[in-house]
Tab-separated table of all heavy atoms in Angstrom:
chain	number	residue	atom	x	y	z
A	57	THR	N	103.554	96.133	97.648
A	57	THR	CA	104.415	95.381	98.587
A	57	THR	C	103.659	94.934	99.816
A	57	THR	O	103.726	93.767	100.203
A	57	THR	CB	105.636	96.310	99.081
A	57	THR	OG1	106.270	96.829	97.893
A	57	THR	CG2	106.569	95.509	99.898
A	58	GLY	N	102.908	95.809	100.459
A	58	GLY	CA	102.162	95.416	101.651
A	58	GLY	C	100.810	94.788	101.382
A	58	GLY	O	100.162	94.282	102.325
A	59	PHE	N	100.438	94.685	100.110
A	59	PHE	CA	99.160	94.178	99.715
A	59	PHE	C	99.251	92.730	99.118
A	59	PHE	O	98.339	92.038	99.100
A	59	PHE	CB	98.489	95.076	98.740
A	59	PHE	CG	97.162	94.579	98.194
A	59	PHE	CD1	96.023	94.558	98.926
A	59	PHE	CD2	97.111	94.123	96.859
A	59	PHE	CE1	94.845	94.153	98.411
A	59	PHE	CE2	95.942	93.631	96.324
A	59	PHE	CZ	94.760	93.640	97.125
A	60	ILE	N	100.471	92.372	98.677
A	60	ILE	CA	100.649	91.162	97.923
A	60	ILE	C	100.093	89.938	98.585
A	60	ILE	O	99.475	89.078	97.998
A	60	ILE	CB	102.128	91.000	97.423
A	60	ILE	CG1	102.207	90.095	96.224
A	60	ILE	CG2	103.026	90.630	98.591
A	60	ILE	CD1	103.461	90.219	95.424
A	61	ASP	N	100.326	89.835	99.884
A	61	ASP	CA	99.829	88.652	100.654
A	61	ASP	C	98.332	88.746	100.939
A	61	ASP	O	97.748	87.706	101.333
A	61	ASP	CB	100.648	88.449	101.958
A	61	ASP	CG	102.094	88.030	101.603
A	61	ASP	OD1	102.321	87.333	100.625
A	61	ASP	OD2	102.966	88.446	102.407
A	62	GLU	N	97.761	89.897	100.790
A	62	GLU	CA	96.347	90.055	101.055
A	62	GLU	C	95.494	89.859	99.783
A	62	GLU	O	94.272	89.762	99.825
A	62	GLU	CB	96.063	91.502	101.513
A	62	GLU	CG	96.673	91.855	102.821
A	62	GLU	CD	96.451	93.372	103.134
A	62	GLU	OE1	95.358	93.940	102.715
A	62	GLU	OE2	97.320	93.977	103.721
A	63	HIS	N	96.152	89.871	98.622
A	63	HIS	CA	95.484	89.794	97.345
A	63	HIS	C	94.536	88.565	97.290
A	63	HIS	O	95.085	87.447	97.463
A	63	HIS	CB	96.465	89.718	96.159
A	63	HIS	CG	95.841	89.817	94.822
A	63	HIS	ND1	95.759	88.744	94.012
A	63	HIS	CD2	95.210	90.829	94.156
A	63	HIS	CE1	95.095	89.093	92.865
A	63	HIS	NE2	94.807	90.355	92.991
A	64	PRO	N	93.252	88.768	97.068
A	64	PRO	CA	92.319	87.590	97.072
A	64	PRO	C	92.655	86.547	96.036
A	64	PRO	O	92.427	85.352	96.302
A	64	PRO	CB	90.965	88.240	96.716
A	64	PRO	CG	91.132	89.660	97.175
A	64	PRO	CD	92.552	90.039	96.939
A	65	GLY	N	93.315	86.890	94.914
A	65	GLY	CA	93.673	85.904	93.890
A	65	GLY	C	95.003	85.272	94.254
A	65	GLY	O	95.472	84.369	93.465
A	66	GLY	N	95.695	85.691	95.265
A	66	GLY	CA	96.962	85.109	95.688
A	66	GLY	C	98.134	85.904	95.226
A	66	GLY	O	98.086	86.763	94.333
A	67	ALA	N	99.200	85.798	95.936
A	67	ALA	CA	100.462	86.535	95.684
A	67	ALA	C	101.082	86.134	94.340
A	67	ALA	O	101.670	87.049	93.682
A	67	ALA	CB	101.491	86.328	96.802
A	68	LYS	N	100.931	84.914	93.950
A	68	LYS	CA	101.606	84.420	92.703
A	68	LYS	C	101.168	85.272	91.474
A	68	LYS	O	101.954	85.563	90.627
A	68	LYS	CB	101.253	82.969	92.524
A	68	LYS	CG	101.959	82.290	91.374
A	68	LYS	CD	101.639	80.843	91.344
A	68	LYS	CE	102.403	80.139	90.264
A	68	LYS	NZ	102.061	78.692	90.216
A	69	ILE	N	99.897	85.629	91.414
A	69	ILE	CA	99.406	86.416	90.256
A	69	ILE	C	100.051	87.754	90.220
A	69	ILE	O	100.467	88.187	89.148
A	69	ILE	CB	97.860	86.529	90.403
A	69	ILE	CG1	97.248	85.137	90.160
A	69	ILE	CG2	97.283	87.495	89.408
A	69	ILE	CD1	95.754	85.028	90.469
A	70	LEU	N	100.104	88.455	91.342
A	70	LEU	CA	100.777	89.750	91.358
A	70	LEU	C	102.278	89.610	91.084
A	70	LEU	O	102.836	90.525	90.382
A	70	LEU	CB	100.583	90.415	92.703
A	70	LEU	CG	99.184	91.050	92.981
A	70	LEU	CD1	99.121	91.643	94.364
A	70	LEU	CD2	98.873	92.070	91.958
A	71	LYS	N	102.901	88.631	91.555
A	71	LYS	CA	104.346	88.488	91.355
A	71	LYS	C	104.691	88.358	89.859
A	71	LYS	O	105.731	88.791	89.454
A	71	LYS	CB	104.875	87.303	92.137
A	71	LYS	CG	104.946	87.601	93.613
A	71	LYS	CD	105.498	86.342	94.393
A	71	LYS	CE	105.518	86.666	95.880
A	71	LYS	NZ	106.023	85.525	96.658
A	72	ARG	N	103.785	87.827	89.057
A	72	ARG	CA	103.980	87.729	87.618
A	72	ARG	C	104.047	89.046	86.909
A	72	ARG	O	104.638	89.162	85.865
A	72	ARG	CB	102.851	86.897	86.984
A	72	ARG	CG	102.892	85.461	87.248
A	72	ARG	CD	101.781	84.706	86.547
A	72	ARG	NE	101.523	83.473	87.193
A	72	ARG	CZ	100.371	82.820	87.122
A	72	ARG	NH1	99.380	83.354	86.519
A	72	ARG	NH2	100.233	81.640	87.679
A	73	VAL	N	103.446	90.074	87.490
A	73	VAL	CA	103.374	91.352	86.830
A	73	VAL	C	104.191	92.475	87.538
A	73	VAL	O	104.076	93.615	87.115
A	73	VAL	CB	101.897	91.845	86.601
A	73	VAL	CG1	101.204	90.900	85.643
A	73	VAL	CG2	101.150	91.877	87.920
A	74	LEU	N	104.942	92.096	88.540
A	74	LEU	CA	105.738	93.105	89.210
A	74	LEU	C	106.651	93.845	88.250
A	74	LEU	O	107.362	93.183	87.431
A	74	LEU	CB	106.567	92.480	90.373
A	74	LEU	CG	105.774	91.949	91.567
A	74	LEU	CD1	106.671	91.261	92.558
A	74	LEU	CD2	104.967	93.017	92.194
A	75	GLY	N	106.723	95.149	88.368
A	75	GLY	CA	107.588	95.944	87.519
A	75	GLY	C	107.077	96.125	86.150
A	75	GLY	O	107.780	96.698	85.254
A	76	LYS	N	105.889	95.684	85.872
A	76	LYS	CA	105.329	95.704	84.495
A	76	LYS	C	103.927	96.429	84.446
A	76	LYS	O	103.353	96.694	85.505
A	76	LYS	CB	105.086	94.265	83.963
A	76	LYS	CG	106.328	93.467	83.930
A	76	LYS	CD	106.021	92.059	83.440
A	76	LYS	CE	107.212	91.135	83.490
A	76	LYS	NZ	106.874	89.790	83.228
A	77	ASP	N	103.434	96.650	83.256
A	77	ASP	CA	102.066	97.142	83.063
A	77	ASP	C	101.136	96.014	83.223
A	77	ASP	O	101.150	95.039	82.393
A	77	ASP	CB	101.962	97.750	81.669
A	77	ASP	CG	100.646	98.498	81.467
A	77	ASP	OD1	99.653	98.131	82.142
A	77	ASP	OD2	100.566	99.394	80.638
A	78	ALA	N	100.359	96.058	84.288
A	78	ALA	CA	99.370	94.959	84.595
A	78	ALA	C	97.969	95.326	84.136
A	78	ALA	O	97.068	94.620	84.578
A	78	ALA	CB	99.427	94.696	86.082
A	79	SER	N	97.826	96.369	83.350
A	79	SER	CA	96.494	96.872	83.007
A	79	SER	C	95.578	95.802	82.365
A	79	SER	O	94.438	95.611	82.816
A	79	SER	CB	96.570	98.063	82.017
A	79	SER	OG	97.370	99.129	82.607
A	80	LYS	N	96.072	95.091	81.408
A	80	LYS	CA	95.266	94.111	80.696
A	80	LYS	C	94.813	93.029	81.640
A	80	LYS	O	93.620	92.674	81.663
A	80	LYS	CB	96.106	93.539	79.516
A	80	LYS	CG	95.272	92.588	78.680
A	80	LYS	CD	96.139	92.101	77.526
A	80	LYS	CE	95.308	91.212	76.566
A	80	LYS	NZ	96.060	90.763	75.415
A	81	SER	N	95.717	92.510	82.450
A	81	SER	CA	95.368	91.473	83.418
A	81	SER	C	94.424	92.008	84.464
A	81	SER	O	93.473	91.299	84.880
A	81	SER	CB	96.595	90.935	84.142
A	81	SER	OG	97.465	90.350	83.208
A	82	PHE	N	94.676	93.206	84.951
A	82	PHE	CA	93.804	93.811	86.012
A	82	PHE	C	92.364	93.963	85.510
A	82	PHE	O	91.440	93.494	86.213
A	82	PHE	CB	94.351	95.156	86.441
A	82	PHE	CG	93.487	95.846	87.469
A	82	PHE	CD1	93.742	95.524	88.805
A	82	PHE	CD2	92.487	96.741	87.142
A	82	PHE	CE1	92.921	96.107	89.807
A	82	PHE	CE2	91.741	97.275	88.131
A	82	PHE	CZ	91.894	97.002	89.453
A	83	TRP	N	92.170	94.568	84.376
A	83	TRP	CA	90.826	94.827	83.875
A	83	TRP	C	90.094	93.526	83.460
A	83	TRP	O	88.847	93.581	83.401
A	83	TRP	CB	90.798	95.856	82.756
A	83	TRP	CG	91.232	97.180	83.282
A	83	TRP	CD1	92.362	97.928	82.898
A	83	TRP	CD2	90.552	98.014	84.265
A	83	TRP	NE1	92.403	99.093	83.597
A	83	TRP	CE2	91.318	99.159	84.447
A	83	TRP	CE3	89.382	97.849	85.000
A	83	TRP	CZ2	90.946	100.175	85.330
A	83	TRP	CZ3	89.049	98.826	85.882
A	83	TRP	CH2	89.775	99.990	86.055
A	84	LYS	N	90.777	92.516	83.227
A	84	LYS	CA	90.187	91.215	82.922
A	84	LYS	C	89.362	90.698	84.060
A	84	LYS	O	88.355	90.044	83.907
A	84	LYS	CB	91.247	90.217	82.527
A	84	LYS	CG	90.856	88.982	81.877
A	84	LYS	CD	92.065	88.147	81.544
A	84	LYS	CE	91.827	87.207	80.382
A	84	LYS	NZ	93.052	86.421	80.024
A	85	PHE	N	89.840	90.962	85.291
A	85	PHE	CA	89.179	90.363	86.509
A	85	PHE	C	88.646	91.375	87.465
A	85	PHE	O	88.068	91.023	88.483
A	85	PHE	CB	90.285	89.527	87.244
A	85	PHE	CG	90.805	88.391	86.428
A	85	PHE	CD1	92.044	88.463	85.802
A	85	PHE	CD2	90.047	87.304	86.290
A	85	PHE	CE1	92.482	87.423	85.009
A	85	PHE	CE2	90.495	86.189	85.509
A	85	PHE	CZ	91.684	86.269	84.930
A	86	HIS	N	88.833	92.734	87.251
A	86	HIS	CA	88.408	93.767	88.165
A	86	HIS	C	87.534	94.788	87.464
A	86	HIS	O	87.657	94.930	86.313
A	86	HIS	CB	89.576	94.437	88.865
A	86	HIS	CG	90.524	93.445	89.520
A	86	HIS	ND1	91.523	92.782	88.828
A	86	HIS	CD2	90.616	93.065	90.783
A	86	HIS	CE1	92.164	92.022	89.717
A	86	HIS	NE2	91.639	92.161	90.888
A	87	ASN	N	86.866	95.607	88.275
A	87	ASN	CA	86.099	96.766	87.737
A	87	ASN	C	86.625	98.071	88.373
A	87	ASN	O	87.564	98.000	89.186
A	87	ASN	CB	84.607	96.572	87.967
A	87	ASN	CG	84.236	96.497	89.422
A	87	ASN	OD1	84.873	97.143	90.309
A	87	ASN	ND2	83.290	95.619	89.790
A	88	ASP	N	86.013	99.163	87.945
A	88	ASP	CA	86.511	100.471	88.454
A	88	ASP	C	86.431	100.582	89.946
A	88	ASP	O	87.229	101.257	90.607
A	88	ASP	CB	85.575	101.578	87.852
A	88	ASP	CG	85.849	101.835	86.439
A	88	ASP	OD1	86.922	101.427	85.909
A	88	ASP	OD2	84.911	102.341	85.735
A	89	GLY	N	85.466	99.909	90.590
A	89	GLY	CA	85.282	100.000	92.040
A	89	GLY	C	86.436	99.422	92.793
A	89	GLY	O	86.863	99.953	93.822
A	90	VAL	N	87.058	98.358	92.270
A	90	VAL	CA	88.238	97.773	92.904
A	90	VAL	C	89.396	98.769	92.906
A	90	VAL	O	90.009	98.911	93.868
A	90	VAL	CB	88.592	96.448	92.238
A	90	VAL	CG1	89.902	95.904	92.801
A	90	VAL	CG2	87.479	95.390	92.411
A	91	LEU	N	89.597	99.338	91.702
A	91	LEU	CA	90.720	100.279	91.624
A	91	LEU	C	90.492	101.526	92.516
A	91	LEU	O	91.391	101.942	93.224
A	91	LEU	CB	90.915	100.747	90.155
A	91	LEU	CG	92.126	101.548	89.870
A	91	LEU	CD1	93.421	100.756	90.183
A	91	LEU	CD2	92.186	101.967	88.394
A	92	ALA	N	89.271	102.001	92.533
A	92	ALA	CA	88.919	103.157	93.400
A	92	ALA	C	89.119	102.788	94.857
A	92	ALA	O	89.598	103.622	95.646
A	92	ALA	CB	87.478	103.591	93.160
A	93	LYS	N	88.789	101.612	95.266
A	93	LYS	CA	88.916	101.153	96.654
A	93	LYS	C	90.389	101.162	97.105
A	93	LYS	O	90.682	101.552	98.287
A	93	LYS	CB	88.351	99.791	96.821
A	93	LYS	CG	88.470	99.168	98.188
A	93	LYS	CD	87.821	97.817	98.222
A	93	LYS	CE	87.929	97.170	99.631
A	93	LYS	NZ	87.381	95.843	99.667
A	94	TYR	N	91.325	100.815	96.285
A	94	TYR	CA	92.755	100.685	96.676
A	94	TYR	C	93.594	101.841	96.228
A	94	TYR	O	94.766	101.879	96.622
A	94	TYR	CB	93.265	99.361	96.201
A	94	TYR	CG	92.656	98.215	96.877
A	94	TYR	CD1	91.624	97.426	96.281
A	94	TYR	CD2	93.007	97.830	98.194
A	94	TYR	CE1	91.045	96.365	96.940
A	94	TYR	CE2	92.440	96.802	98.838
A	94	TYR	CZ	91.456	96.035	98.233
A	94	TYR	OH	90.880	95.051	98.909
A	95	THR	N	93.114	102.756	95.379
A	95	THR	CA	93.996	103.802	94.867
A	95	THR	C	94.575	104.652	95.975
A	95	THR	O	95.859	104.862	95.934
A	95	THR	CB	93.212	104.692	93.884
A	95	THR	OG1	92.952	103.926	92.760
A	95	THR	CG2	93.977	105.910	93.500
A	96	GLU	N	93.854	105.112	96.956
A	96	GLU	CA	94.417	105.991	97.972
A	96	GLU	C	95.551	105.266	98.737
A	96	GLU	O	96.565	105.865	99.102
A	96	GLU	CB	93.331	106.495	98.927
A	96	GLU	CG	93.829	107.467	99.971
A	96	GLU	CD	92.736	108.022	100.776
A	96	GLU	OE1	91.578	108.072	100.389
A	96	GLU	OE2	93.045	108.343	101.908
A	97	ARG	N	95.311	103.989	99.013
A	97	ARG	CA	96.272	103.163	99.813
A	97	ARG	C	97.551	102.818	99.048
A	97	ARG	O	98.647	102.799	99.578
A	97	ARG	CB	95.535	101.965	100.302
A	97	ARG	CG	96.473	101.040	101.069
A	97	ARG	CD	95.647	99.885	101.619
A	97	ARG	NE	96.517	98.791	102.022
A	97	ARG	CZ	96.095	97.501	102.157
A	97	ARG	NH1	94.836	97.218	101.963
A	97	ARG	NH2	96.955	96.614	102.484
A	98	LEU	N	97.424	102.505	97.739
A	98	LEU	CA	98.461	101.885	96.977
A	98	LEU	C	99.139	102.701	95.898
A	98	LEU	O	100.287	102.464	95.556
A	98	LEU	CB	97.983	100.568	96.338
A	98	LEU	CG	97.424	99.524	97.224
A	98	LEU	CD1	96.963	98.303	96.466
A	98	LEU	CD2	98.357	99.074	98.295
A	99	LYS	N	98.454	103.734	95.409
A	99	LYS	CA	99.032	104.552	94.283
A	99	LYS	C	100.128	105.428	94.800
A	99	LYS	O	100.023	106.183	95.777
A	99	LYS	CB	97.928	105.419	93.658
A	99	LYS	CG	98.420	106.030	92.381
A	99	LYS	CD	97.308	106.706	91.649
A	99	LYS	CE	97.785	107.254	90.280
A	99	LYS	NZ	96.720	107.904	89.531
A	100	VAL	N	101.288	105.349	94.166
A	100	VAL	CA	102.478	106.096	94.519
A	100	VAL	C	102.884	107.104	93.419
A	100	VAL	O	103.804	107.899	93.637
A	100	VAL	CB	103.682	105.182	94.845
A	100	VAL	CG1	103.407	104.400	96.115
A	100	VAL	CG2	104.058	104.301	93.748
A	101	GLY	N	102.239	107.097	92.309
A	101	GLY	CA	102.590	108.014	91.242
A	101	GLY	C	101.910	107.671	89.909
A	101	GLY	O	100.999	106.891	89.854
A	102	THR	N	102.461	108.298	88.886
A	102	THR	CA	101.990	108.080	87.508
A	102	THR	C	103.192	107.723	86.584
A	102	THR	O	104.297	107.961	86.932
A	102	THR	CB	101.238	109.331	86.998
A	102	THR	OG1	102.139	110.408	87.041
A	102	THR	CG2	100.015	109.635	87.794
A	103	VAL	N	102.790	107.236	85.418
A	103	VAL	CA	103.773	106.880	84.441
A	103	VAL	C	103.964	107.978	83.411
A	103	VAL	O	103.022	108.537	82.929
A	103	VAL	CB	103.424	105.576	83.653
A	103	VAL	CG1	104.355	105.277	82.575
A	103	VAL	CG2	103.330	104.425	84.597
A	104	GLN	N	105.230	108.344	83.189
A	104	GLN	CA	105.579	109.312	82.165
A	104	GLN	C	105.791	108.530	80.908
A	104	GLN	O	106.544	107.532	80.890
A	104	GLN	CB	106.906	110.027	82.644
A	104	GLN	CG	107.542	110.804	81.480
A	104	GLN	CD	108.961	111.283	81.943
A	104	GLN	OE1	109.283	111.287	83.155
A	104	GLN	NE2	109.768	111.542	80.989
A	105	GLU	N	105.169	108.950	79.865
A	105	GLU	CA	105.318	108.293	78.604
A	105	GLU	C	106.765	108.480	78.098
A	105	GLU	O	107.241	109.646	78.125
A	105	GLU	CB	104.350	108.803	77.494
A	105	GLU	CG	102.874	108.389	77.878
A	105	GLU	CD	102.691	106.886	77.750
A	105	GLU	OE1	103.241	106.271	76.869
A	105	GLU	OE2	101.941	106.423	78.607
A	106	GLU	N	107.404	107.453	77.648
A	106	GLU	CA	108.745	107.602	77.129
A	106	GLU	C	108.630	107.991	75.653
A	106	GLU	O	107.725	107.574	74.932
A	106	GLU	CB	109.539	106.247	77.250
A	106	GLU	CG	109.849	105.907	78.676
A	106	GLU	CD	110.689	104.672	78.825
A	106	GLU	OE1	110.538	103.773	77.991
A	106	GLU	OE2	111.431	104.627	79.802
A	107	ALA	N	109.587	108.766	75.200
A	107	ALA	CA	109.568	109.261	73.782
A	107	ALA	C	109.738	108.122	72.842
A	107	ALA	O	110.553	107.201	73.098
A	107	ALA	CB	110.661	110.268	73.628
A	108	LYS	N	109.004	108.124	71.815
A	108	LYS	CA	109.083	107.079	70.799
A	108	LYS	C	109.652	107.709	69.535
A	108	LYS	O	109.233	108.754	69.094
A	108	LYS	CB	107.732	106.485	70.489
A	108	LYS	CG	107.084	105.759	71.665
A	108	LYS	CD	105.773	105.210	71.374
A	108	LYS	CE	105.208	104.560	72.615
A	108	LYS	NZ	103.824	104.059	72.386
Side-chain angles (χ1 to χ4, degrees):
T57 309
F59 176 73
I60 200 159
D61 291 326
E62 298 174 32
H63 185 255
K68 187 176 182 180
I69 292 169
L70 284 178
K71 287 179 181 179
R72 288 184 199 151
V73 294
L74 290 176
K76 300 177 186 173
D77 187 334
S79 301
K80 186 175 180 180
S81 298
F82 180 85
W83 292 117
K84 191 178 206 180
F85 298 102
H86 305 85
N87 60 37
D88 290 336
V90 174
L91 190 60
K93 179 178 178 180
Y94 292 101
T95 292
E96 185 176 331
R97 177 177 162 199
L98 303 178
K99 189 171 183 181
V100 293
T102 57
V103 174
Q104 167 190 339
E105 291 295 320
E106 291 183 330
K108 296 180 183 176

